[in-house]
Amino acid sequence: MKPATQKQIDEALVQLHEWQVNDDSKLERRLAFPDFVSAFAFMTRVALEAERMNHHPEWFNVYNRVHIQLSTHDAGGITEKDFQLAAIIDQHAADERARASM
């Protein structure tokens, strides 16, 4: 798998929610949830999807905050796999926020 071009990255960022490319050339998103349980539930759901894809995020969790970075190490950059996982993460984040507001 080859790294995405800048044009492909720019096009993907338009479709993704609150993602950016950081100084380390990784896709990055920071999320905040109502509480730790919501944040951990979100991470659990994403972990199951990531495992199915065999594509694992680099992430950090402190209480209700989750910081995610995506890149494909084998390709040496951002690839289509990262865009796919970012879209899944976006959906799970929206779902978790909807559950938390009920």
Side-chain angles (χ1 to χ4, degrees):
M1 186 170 286
K2 293 191 293 188
T5 65
Q6 188 60 52
K7 181 180 180 195
Q8 291 169 319
I9 292 169
D10 292 342
E11 290 172 355
L13 287 174
V14 171
Q15 302 299 316
L16 298 171
H17 187 72
E18 298 179 4
W19 289 89
Q20 62 185 7
V21 176
N22 68 16
D23 292 340
D24 293 330
S25 299
K26 296 177 182 179
L27 281 180
E28 177 179 70
R29 183 171 178 197
R30 295 175 188 269
L31 300 104
F33 295 91
D35 53 35
F36 176 76
V37 172
S38 297
F40 199 83
F42 160 78
M43 291 178 72
T44 300
R45 288 180 180 87
V46 171
L48 294 172
E49 295 279 352
E51 186 64 20
R52 277 192 214 68
M53 293 176 69
N54 193 30
H55 191 59
H56 306 97
E58 181 177 326
W59 55 9
F60 310 92
N61 165 243
V62 177
Y63 184 61
N64 68 329
R65 293 173 288 140
V66 180
H67 174 205
I68 304 169
Q69 296 180 3
L70 302 175
S71 68
T72 304
H73 301 287
D74 294 345
I78 298 168
T79 67
E80 181 61 33
K81 280 181 109 171
D82 299 303
F83 302 141
Q84 291 169 0
L85 185 54
I88 290 167
I89 288 168
D90 284 351
Q91 186 59 56
H92 283 293
D95 293 348
E96 191 57 43
R97 287 191 173 123
R99 272 189 284 284
S101 69
M102 291 182 173

